Amino acid sequence: GAVVSQHPSRVICKSGTSVKIECRSLDFQATTMFWYRQFPKKSLMLMATSNEGSKATYEQGVEKDKFLINHASLTLSTLTVTSAHPEDSSFYICSARDLISGGRADTQYFGPGTRLTVL
Amino acid sequence: GDSVTQMEGPVTLSEEACLTINCTYTATGYPSLFWYVQYPGEGLQLLLKATKADDKGSNKGFEATYRKETTSFHLEKGSVQVSDSAVYFCALSDRGYSSASKIIFGSGTRLSIRP
Protein backbone atom coordinates (compact mmCIF):
# COMPACT_ATOMS: atom_id res chain seq x y z
CA GLY A 1 0.00 0.00 0.00
CA ALA A 2 0.93 3.64 -0.36
CA VAL A 3 3.21 4.84 2.43
CA VAL A 4 4.01 8.38 3.44
CA SER A 5 6.76 9.16 5.92
CA GLN A 6 7.56 12.29 7.85
CA HIS A 7 10.80 13.35 9.44
CA PRO A 8 11.37 14.16 12.19
CA SER A 9 8.57 12.67 14.25
CA ARG A 10 9.27 15.09 17.07
CA VAL A 11 11.27 18.29 17.24
CA ILE A 12 11.91 20.80 19.99
CA CYS A 13 13.41 24.13 19.08
CA LYS A 14 14.07 27.52 20.57
CA SER A 15 11.94 30.53 19.78
CA GLY A 16 13.26 32.41 16.75
CA THR A 17 14.83 29.45 15.00
CA SER A 18 13.60 27.73 11.85
CA VAL A 19 12.52 24.12 11.60
CA LYS A 20 12.21 21.97 8.49
CA ILE A 21 9.84 19.02 8.26
CA GLU A 22 10.11 16.51 5.44
CA CYS A 23 7.30 14.53 3.88
CA ARG A 24 8.13 11.65 1.55
CA SER A 25 6.03 9.29 -0.51
CA LEU A 26 7.89 6.00 -0.31
CA ASP A 27 6.35 3.85 -3.01
CA PHE A 28 4.46 6.18 -5.30
CA GLN A 29 4.80 9.51 -7.03
CA ALA A 30 2.95 12.27 -5.26
CA THR A 31 1.67 14.80 -7.75
CA THR A 32 0.12 16.73 -4.90
CA MET A 33 1.01 17.00 -1.25
CA PHE A 34 -1.02 18.63 1.48
CA TRP A 35 0.08 20.09 4.79
CA TYR A 36 -2.26 20.12 7.78
CA ARG A 37 -2.00 21.42 11.28
CA GLN A 38 -3.77 19.76 14.18
CA PHE A 39 -4.35 21.55 17.46
CA PRO A 40 -4.86 19.52 20.65
CA LYS A 41 -8.23 17.78 20.64
CA LYS A 42 -9.17 19.59 17.44
CA SER A 43 -9.61 18.66 13.83
CA LEU A 44 -7.09 18.96 11.04
CA MET A 45 -6.76 22.35 9.45
CA LEU A 46 -5.51 22.40 5.87
CA MET A 47 -2.62 24.85 5.61
CA ALA A 48 -1.57 24.52 1.99
CA THR A 49 -1.60 22.39 -1.11
CA SER A 50 1.59 21.88 -3.07
CA ASN A 51 1.93 20.55 -6.58
CA GLU A 52 5.29 19.27 -7.75
CA GLY A 53 7.30 21.97 -9.47
CA SER A 54 4.97 24.84 -8.73
CA LYS A 55 4.25 27.24 -5.91
CA ALA A 56 2.10 26.09 -3.03
CA THR A 57 -1.45 27.33 -2.63
CA TYR A 58 -2.08 28.52 0.89
CA GLU A 59 -5.40 28.52 2.68
CA GLN A 60 -6.84 31.76 3.93
CA GLY A 61 -5.17 32.97 7.09
CA VAL A 62 -1.98 30.93 6.67
CA GLU A 63 1.15 33.07 6.37
CA LYS A 64 3.12 31.86 3.38
CA ASP A 65 6.27 33.67 4.48
CA LYS A 66 6.18 31.91 7.82
CA PHE A 67 5.33 28.44 6.55
CA LEU A 68 7.54 27.85 3.53
CA ILE A 69 6.60 24.86 1.41
CA ASN A 70 8.78 23.31 -1.25
CA HIS A 71 7.74 20.41 -3.46
CA ALA A 72 10.81 19.94 -5.58
CA SER A 73 10.28 16.33 -6.56
CA LEU A 74 7.48 13.83 -6.94
CA THR A 75 8.45 12.12 -3.70
CA LEU A 76 9.43 14.95 -1.38
CA SER A 77 7.80 18.04 0.06
CA THR A 78 9.18 20.14 2.88
CA LEU A 79 7.54 22.54 5.31
CA THR A 80 9.81 25.08 6.97
CA VAL A 81 8.49 26.97 9.96
CA THR A 82 10.51 30.18 9.99
CA SER A 83 11.23 32.21 13.09
CA ALA A 84 9.21 29.79 15.18
CA HIS A 85 7.29 30.99 18.22
CA PRO A 86 5.60 29.03 21.01
CA GLU A 87 2.21 29.51 19.34
CA ASP A 88 3.53 27.52 16.36
CA SER A 89 3.76 24.46 18.60
CA SER A 90 1.44 21.90 17.08
CA PHE A 91 1.13 18.58 15.31
CA TYR A 92 1.88 18.94 11.59
CA ILE A 93 0.62 16.26 9.24
CA CYS A 94 1.29 15.85 5.55
CA SER A 95 -0.59 13.80 3.02
CA ALA A 96 0.08 12.86 -0.56
CA ARG A 97 -2.00 12.09 -3.60
CA ASP A 98 -1.05 10.08 -6.66
CA LEU A 99 -2.71 11.05 -9.93
CA ILE A 100 -0.08 9.48 -12.17
CA SER A 101 -0.65 5.78 -11.81
CA GLY A 102 -4.43 5.94 -11.92
CA GLY A 103 -4.85 7.18 -8.36
CA ARG A 104 -8.12 8.77 -7.37
CA ALA A 105 -8.28 12.51 -6.80
CA ASP A 106 -10.27 11.93 -3.61
CA THR A 107 -7.68 9.63 -2.06
CA GLN A 108 -4.93 10.98 0.16
CA TYR A 109 -2.34 9.01 2.10
CA PHE A 110 -1.34 10.52 5.40
CA GLY A 111 2.01 10.68 7.10
CA PRO A 112 2.38 9.89 10.81
CA GLY A 113 2.79 13.54 11.76
CA THR A 114 5.48 15.69 13.34
CA ARG A 115 5.07 17.17 16.79
CA LEU A 116 6.74 20.57 16.99
CA THR A 117 7.40 22.17 20.35
CA VAL A 118 8.79 25.68 20.41
CA LEU A 119 10.29 26.76 23.72
CA GLY B 1 -18.93 26.04 1.60
CA ASP B 2 -18.79 22.31 2.15
CA SER B 3 -18.64 21.15 5.74
CA VAL B 4 -18.81 18.13 8.02
CA THR B 5 -20.49 17.98 11.42
CA GLN B 6 -19.98 15.07 13.77
CA MET B 7 -21.11 14.36 17.26
CA GLU B 8 -19.07 15.83 20.04
CA GLY B 9 -17.15 13.56 22.29
CA PRO B 10 -15.77 12.13 24.29
CA VAL B 11 -17.73 8.92 24.00
CA THR B 12 -17.08 6.29 26.66
CA LEU B 13 -18.46 2.77 26.28
CA SER B 14 -17.95 -0.61 27.84
CA GLU B 15 -16.38 -3.39 25.83
CA GLU B 16 -18.86 -5.21 23.56
CA ALA B 17 -21.26 -2.26 23.55
CA CYS B 18 -22.80 -0.96 20.31
CA LEU B 19 -21.32 2.17 18.81
CA THR B 20 -22.82 4.89 16.67
CA ILE B 21 -20.99 8.13 15.88
CA ASN B 22 -23.19 10.52 13.96
CA CYS B 23 -21.90 12.48 11.00
CA THR B 24 -23.75 14.80 8.64
CA TYR B 25 -22.39 16.81 5.77
CA THR B 26 -23.13 19.79 3.57
CA ALA B 27 -21.88 19.70 0.02
CA THR B 28 -22.83 21.25 -3.29
CA GLY B 29 -21.60 18.42 -5.50
CA TYR B 30 -21.23 14.68 -5.12
CA PRO B 31 -18.56 14.18 -2.49
CA SER B 32 -16.85 11.01 -1.47
CA LEU B 33 -17.24 10.35 2.26
CA PHE B 34 -14.66 8.94 4.64
CA TRP B 35 -14.04 7.86 8.20
CA TYR B 36 -10.46 8.24 9.39
CA VAL B 37 -9.12 6.93 12.70
CA GLN B 38 -6.24 8.28 14.75
CA TYR B 39 -4.91 5.94 17.41
CA PRO B 40 -2.99 7.44 20.34
CA GLY B 41 0.37 8.75 19.21
CA GLU B 42 -0.18 7.82 15.58
CA GLY B 43 -1.17 9.50 12.31
CA LEU B 44 -4.45 9.27 10.48
CA GLN B 45 -5.50 6.04 8.88
CA LEU B 46 -8.34 5.61 6.46
CA LEU B 47 -10.93 3.39 8.14
CA LEU B 48 -13.55 3.21 5.40
CA LYS B 49 -15.06 5.20 2.59
CA ALA B 50 -18.04 5.42 0.26
CA THR B 51 -18.05 7.20 -3.06
CA LYS B 52 -21.72 7.40 -4.03
CA ALA B 53 -25.19 7.35 -2.54
CA ASP B 54 -26.26 4.10 -0.84
CA ASP B 55 -22.71 2.73 -0.86
CA LYS B 56 -21.70 1.06 2.38
CA GLY B 57 -18.11 1.26 3.51
CA SER B 58 -16.87 -1.36 5.96
CA ASN B 59 -13.63 -2.34 7.67
CA LYS B 60 -12.60 -3.96 10.97
CA GLY B 61 -16.23 -4.46 11.94
CA PHE B 62 -17.11 -0.81 11.37
CA GLU B 63 -19.72 0.23 8.83
CA ALA B 64 -21.10 3.47 7.41
CA THR B 65 -23.70 4.02 4.70
CA TYR B 66 -23.73 7.05 2.40
CA ARG B 67 -27.26 8.47 2.81
CA LYS B 68 -27.87 11.26 0.34
CA GLU B 69 -31.45 11.88 1.46
CA THR B 70 -30.35 12.65 5.02
CA THR B 71 -26.83 13.83 4.08
CA SER B 72 -25.42 11.47 6.68
CA PHE B 73 -22.61 8.95 7.04
CA HIS B 74 -22.94 7.55 10.56
CA LEU B 75 -20.25 5.19 11.82
CA GLU B 76 -21.47 1.98 13.50
CA LYS B 77 -19.99 -1.07 15.13
CA GLY B 78 -21.93 -3.82 16.80
CA SER B 79 -19.41 -4.77 19.48
CA VAL B 80 -16.51 -2.47 20.35
CA GLN B 81 -13.18 -3.54 21.78
CA VAL B 82 -10.66 -1.75 23.97
CA SER B 83 -8.38 -1.54 20.93
CA ASP B 84 -10.98 0.66 19.20
CA SER B 85 -10.16 3.51 21.57
CA ALA B 86 -9.08 6.35 19.28
CA VAL B 87 -10.23 9.59 17.71
CA TYR B 88 -12.54 9.19 14.73
CA PHE B 89 -12.85 11.81 12.01
CA CYS B 90 -15.64 12.01 9.48
CA ALA B 91 -14.55 13.69 6.25
CA LEU B 92 -15.57 14.44 2.71
CA SER B 93 -13.71 15.10 -0.49
CA ASP B 94 -15.20 18.31 -1.71
CA ARG B 95 -14.92 18.04 -5.48
CA GLY B 96 -15.24 14.38 -6.13
CA TYR B 97 -12.74 13.30 -8.73
CA SER B 98 -11.45 16.75 -9.63
CA SER B 99 -7.72 17.27 -9.28
CA ALA B 100 -8.59 20.32 -7.19
CA SER B 101 -10.40 18.25 -4.58
CA LYS B 102 -9.54 18.66 -0.92
CA ILE B 103 -10.53 16.68 2.14
CA ILE B 104 -12.64 18.51 4.69
CA PHE B 105 -12.62 17.03 8.18
CA GLY B 106 -15.12 17.06 10.98
CA SER B 107 -13.98 18.02 14.45
CA GLY B 108 -13.28 14.45 15.56
CA THR B 109 -14.88 12.25 18.21
CA ARG B 110 -12.74 10.72 20.91
CA LEU B 111 -13.85 7.18 21.77
CA SER B 112 -12.75 5.42 24.96
CA ILE B 113 -13.64 1.79 25.60
CA ARG B 114 -13.60 0.42 29.15
CA PRO B 115 -12.57 -3.21 29.68
Side-chain angles (χ1 to χ4, degrees), chain A residues 6 8 10 15 24 26 31 37 60 67 71 77 85 91 99 101:
Chain A
Q6 278 184 245
R10 289 179 178 271
S15 187
R24 292 182 185 273
L26 298 185
T31 47
R37 182 173 178 176
Q60 195 170 11
F67 298 100
H71 190 169
S77 176
H85 290 283
F91 195 55
L99 292 181
S101 56

PDB file of all heavy atoms in Angstrom, chain A residues 6 8 10 15 24 26 31 37 60 67 71 77 85 91 99 101:
ATOM      1  N   GLN A   6       7.214  10.934   7.447  1.00  0.00           N
ATOM      2  CA  GLN A   6       7.558  12.286   7.852  1.00  0.00           C
ATOM      3  C   GLN A   6       8.783  12.235   8.737  1.00  0.00           C
ATOM      4  O   GLN A   6       8.948  11.310   9.538  1.00  0.00           O
ATOM      5  CB  GLN A   6       6.412  12.945   8.630  1.00  0.00           C
ATOM      6  CG  GLN A   6       5.332  13.531   7.766  1.00  0.00           C
ATOM      7  CD  GLN A   6       4.268  14.253   8.561  1.00  0.00           C
ATOM      8  OE1 GLN A   6       3.118  13.835   8.573  1.00  0.00           O
ATOM      9  NE2 GLN A   6       4.638  15.347   9.208  1.00  0.00           N
ATOM     10  N   PRO A   8      11.330  15.095  11.064  1.00  0.00           N
ATOM     11  CA  PRO A   8      11.373  14.163  12.191  1.00  0.00           C
ATOM     12  C   PRO A   8       9.974  13.890  12.725  1.00  0.00           C
ATOM     13  O   PRO A   8       9.018  14.531  12.314  1.00  0.00           O
ATOM     14  CB  PRO A   8      12.201  14.943  13.224  1.00  0.00           C
ATOM     15  CG  PRO A   8      11.862  16.377  12.942  1.00  0.00           C
ATOM     16  CD  PRO A   8      11.673  16.469  11.457  1.00  0.00           C
ATOM     17  N   ARG A  10       9.390  14.096  16.009  1.00  0.00           N
ATOM     18  CA  ARG A  10       9.271  15.091  17.070  1.00  0.00           C
ATOM     19  C   ARG A  10      10.442  16.051  16.956  1.00  0.00           C
ATOM     20  O   ARG A  10      11.556  15.639  16.629  1.00  0.00           O
ATOM     21  CB  ARG A  10       9.354  14.436  18.457  1.00  0.00           C
ATOM     22  CG  ARG A  10       8.178  13.623  18.860  1.00  0.00           C
ATOM     23  CD  ARG A  10       8.414  13.005  20.239  1.00  0.00           C
ATOM     24  NE  ARG A  10       7.279  12.239  20.678  1.00  0.00           N
ATOM     25  CZ  ARG A  10       6.266  12.730  21.359  1.00  0.00           C
ATOM     26  NH1 ARG A  10       6.281  14.004  21.693  1.00  0.00           N
ATOM     27  NH2 ARG A  10       5.256  11.972  21.709  1.00  0.00           N
ATOM     28  N   SER A  15      12.669  29.453  20.436  1.00  0.00           N
ATOM     29  CA  SER A  15      11.938  30.529  19.777  1.00  0.00           C
ATOM     30  C   SER A  15      12.885  31.336  18.888  1.00  0.00           C
ATOM     31  O   SER A  15      14.011  31.641  19.277  1.00  0.00           O
ATOM     32  CB  SER A  15      11.311  31.433  20.836  1.00  0.00           C
ATOM     33  OG  SER A  15      10.473  32.385  20.253  1.00  0.00           O
ATOM     34  N   ARG A  24       7.719  12.459   2.708  1.00  0.00           N
ATOM     35  CA  ARG A  24       8.126  11.651   1.553  1.00  0.00           C
ATOM     36  C   ARG A  24       7.083  10.588   1.225  1.00  0.00           C
ATOM     37  O   ARG A  24       6.549   9.935   2.116  1.00  0.00           O
ATOM     38  CB  ARG A  24       9.457  10.929   1.835  1.00  0.00           C
ATOM     39  CG  ARG A  24      10.645  11.833   1.951  1.00  0.00           C
ATOM     40  CD  ARG A  24      11.927  11.036   2.191  1.00  0.00           C
ATOM     41  NE  ARG A  24      13.052  11.928   2.429  1.00  0.00           N
ATOM     42  CZ  ARG A  24      13.797  12.443   1.480  1.00  0.00           C
ATOM     43  NH1 ARG A  24      13.560  12.150   0.215  1.00  0.00           N
ATOM     44  NH2 ARG A  24      14.808  13.245   1.768  1.00  0.00           N
ATOM     45  N   LEU A  26       6.861   7.033  -0.227  1.00  0.00           N
ATOM     46  CA  LEU A  26       7.895   6.000  -0.312  1.00  0.00           C
ATOM     47  C   LEU A  26       7.735   5.059  -1.501  1.00  0.00           C
ATOM     48  O   LEU A  26       8.711   4.518  -1.998  1.00  0.00           O
ATOM     49  CB  LEU A  26       7.915   5.184   0.980  1.00  0.00           C
ATOM     50  CG  LEU A  26       8.259   5.990   2.240  1.00  0.00           C
ATOM     51  CD1 LEU A  26       8.382   5.065   3.448  1.00  0.00           C
ATOM     52  CD2 LEU A  26       9.536   6.787   2.057  1.00  0.00           C
ATOM     53  N   THR A  31       1.848  13.600  -6.949  1.00  0.00           N
ATOM     54  CA  THR A  31       1.668  14.800  -7.755  1.00  0.00           C
ATOM     55  C   THR A  31       1.262  15.986  -6.881  1.00  0.00           C
ATOM     56  O   THR A  31       1.573  17.137  -7.190  1.00  0.00           O
ATOM     57  CB  THR A  31       0.592  14.569  -8.818  1.00  0.00           C
ATOM     58  OG1 THR A  31      -0.552  13.961  -8.207  1.00  0.00           O
ATOM     59  CG2 THR A  31       1.103  13.634  -9.895  1.00  0.00           C
ATOM     60  N   ARG A  37      -2.402  21.145   9.904  1.00  0.00           N
ATOM     61  CA  ARG A  37      -2.003  21.420  11.282  1.00  0.00           C
ATOM     62  C   ARG A  37      -3.131  20.948  12.185  1.00  0.00           C
ATOM     63  O   ARG A  37      -4.320  21.191  11.881  1.00  0.00           O
ATOM     64  CB  ARG A  37      -1.770  22.920  11.458  1.00  0.00           C
ATOM     65  CG  ARG A  37      -1.310  23.324  12.833  1.00  0.00           C
ATOM     66  CD  ARG A  37      -0.944  24.787  12.860  1.00  0.00           C
ATOM     67  NE  ARG A  37      -0.546  25.195  14.195  1.00  0.00           N
ATOM     68  CZ  ARG A  37      -0.102  26.405  14.510  1.00  0.00           C
ATOM     69  NH1 ARG A  37      -0.003  27.348  13.578  1.00  0.00           N
ATOM     70  NH2 ARG A  37       0.245  26.679  15.749  1.00  0.00           N
ATOM     71  N   GLN A  60      -6.652  30.431   3.352  1.00  0.00           N
ATOM     72  CA  GLN A  60      -6.840  31.760   3.932  1.00  0.00           C
ATOM     73  C   GLN A  60      -6.384  31.781   5.385  1.00  0.00           C
ATOM     74  O   GLN A  60      -6.714  30.877   6.160  1.00  0.00           O
ATOM     75  CB  GLN A  60      -8.326  32.128   3.839  1.00  0.00           C
ATOM     76  CG  GLN A  60      -8.609  33.591   4.068  1.00  0.00           C
ATOM     77  CD  GLN A  60     -10.053  33.936   3.735  1.00  0.00           C
ATOM     78  OE1 GLN A  60     -10.886  33.056   3.533  1.00  0.00           O
ATOM     79  NE2 GLN A  60     -10.353  35.216   3.691  1.00  0.00           N
ATOM     80  N   PHE A  67       5.362  29.881   6.820  1.00  0.00           N
ATOM     81  CA  PHE A  67       5.325  28.444   6.552  1.00  0.00           C
ATOM     82  C   PHE A  67       5.718  28.232   5.084  1.00  0.00           C
ATOM     83  O   PHE A  67       4.878  28.257   4.191  1.00  0.00           O
ATOM     84  CB  PHE A  67       3.933  27.886   6.836  1.00  0.00           C
ATOM     85  CG  PHE A  67       3.495  28.039   8.265  1.00  0.00           C
ATOM     86  CD1 PHE A  67       2.634  29.075   8.637  1.00  0.00           C
ATOM     87  CD2 PHE A  67       3.943  27.159   9.240  1.00  0.00           C
ATOM     88  CE1 PHE A  67       2.234  29.221   9.958  1.00  0.00           C
ATOM     89  CE2 PHE A  67       3.545  27.301  10.562  1.00  0.00           C
ATOM     90  CZ  PHE A  67       2.693  28.330  10.924  1.00  0.00           C
ATOM     91  N   HIS A  71       8.101  21.742  -2.932  1.00  0.00           N
ATOM     92  CA  HIS A  71       7.740  20.413  -3.458  1.00  0.00           C
ATOM     93  C   HIS A  71       8.564  20.189  -4.712  1.00  0.00           C
ATOM     94  O   HIS A  71       8.060  20.243  -5.825  1.00  0.00           O
ATOM     95  CB  HIS A  71       6.240  20.384  -3.748  1.00  0.00           C
ATOM     96  CG  HIS A  71       5.696  19.030  -4.054  1.00  0.00           C
ATOM     97  ND1 HIS A  71       4.335  18.798  -4.114  1.00  0.00           N
ATOM     98  CD2 HIS A  71       6.289  17.850  -4.301  1.00  0.00           C
ATOM     99  CE1 HIS A  71       4.133  17.524  -4.404  1.00  0.00           C
ATOM    100  NE2 HIS A  71       5.293  16.932  -4.517  1.00  0.00           N
ATOM    101  N   SER A  77       8.236  16.676  -0.211  1.00  0.00           N
ATOM    102  CA  SER A  77       7.802  18.039   0.059  1.00  0.00           C
ATOM    103  C   SER A  77       8.329  18.422   1.432  1.00  0.00           C
ATOM    104  O   SER A  77       8.418  17.577   2.320  1.00  0.00           O
ATOM    105  CB  SER A  77       6.276  18.144   0.045  1.00  0.00           C
ATOM    106  OG  SER A  77       5.847  19.455   0.397  1.00  0.00           O
ATOM    107  N   HIS A  85       7.703  30.464  16.918  1.00  0.00           N
ATOM    108  CA  HIS A  85       7.286  30.990  18.218  1.00  0.00           C
ATOM    109  C   HIS A  85       6.482  29.922  18.950  1.00  0.00           C
ATOM    110  O   HIS A  85       5.977  28.972  18.311  1.00  0.00           O
ATOM    111  CB  HIS A  85       6.441  32.250  18.026  1.00  0.00           C
ATOM    112  CG  HIS A  85       7.230  33.423  17.545  1.00  0.00           C
ATOM    113  ND1 HIS A  85       8.053  34.160  18.378  1.00  0.00           N
ATOM    114  CD2 HIS A  85       7.347  33.980  16.316  1.00  0.00           C
ATOM    115  CE1 HIS A  85       8.634  35.117  17.683  1.00  0.00           C
ATOM    116  NE2 HIS A  85       8.228  35.034  16.431  1.00  0.00           N
ATOM    117  N   PHE A  91       0.892  19.840  15.994  1.00  0.00           N
ATOM    118  CA  PHE A  91       1.126  18.576  15.309  1.00  0.00           C
ATOM    119  C   PHE A  91       0.915  18.844  13.822  1.00  0.00           C
ATOM    120  O   PHE A  91      -0.176  19.257  13.422  1.00  0.00           O
ATOM    121  CB  PHE A  91       0.143  17.529  15.845  1.00  0.00           C
ATOM    122  CG  PHE A  91       0.480  16.110  15.496  1.00  0.00           C
ATOM    123  CD1 PHE A  91       1.711  15.574  15.818  1.00  0.00           C
ATOM    124  CD2 PHE A  91      -0.458  15.288  14.886  1.00  0.00           C
ATOM    125  CE1 PHE A  91       2.015  14.245  15.523  1.00  0.00           C
ATOM    126  CE2 PHE A  91      -0.158  13.963  14.588  1.00  0.00           C
ATOM    127  CZ  PHE A  91       1.080  13.445  14.902  1.00  0.00           C
ATOM    128  N   LEU A  99      -1.819  10.993  -8.770  1.00  0.00           N
ATOM    129  CA  LEU A  99      -2.709  11.051  -9.927  1.00  0.00           C
ATOM    130  C   LEU A  99      -2.029  10.509 -11.187  1.00  0.00           C
ATOM    131  O   LEU A  99      -2.588  10.584 -12.271  1.00  0.00           O
ATOM    132  CB  LEU A  99      -3.151  12.504 -10.171  1.00  0.00           C
ATOM    133  CG  LEU A  99      -4.069  13.111  -9.115  1.00  0.00           C
ATOM    134  CD1 LEU A  99      -4.439  14.534  -9.478  1.00  0.00           C
ATOM    135  CD2 LEU A  99      -5.335  12.271  -8.939  1.00  0.00           C
ATOM    136  N   SER A 101      -0.440   7.199 -11.538  1.00  0.00           N
ATOM    137  CA  SER A 101      -0.655   5.779 -11.812  1.00  0.00           C
ATOM    138  C   SER A 101      -2.115   5.394 -11.602  1.00  0.00           C
ATOM    139  O   SER A 101      -2.415   4.366 -11.014  1.00  0.00           O
ATOM    140  CB  SER A 101       0.252   4.929 -10.924  1.00  0.00           C
ATOM    141  OG  SER A 101       0.057   5.231  -9.571  1.00  0.00           O
TER     142      SER A 101
END
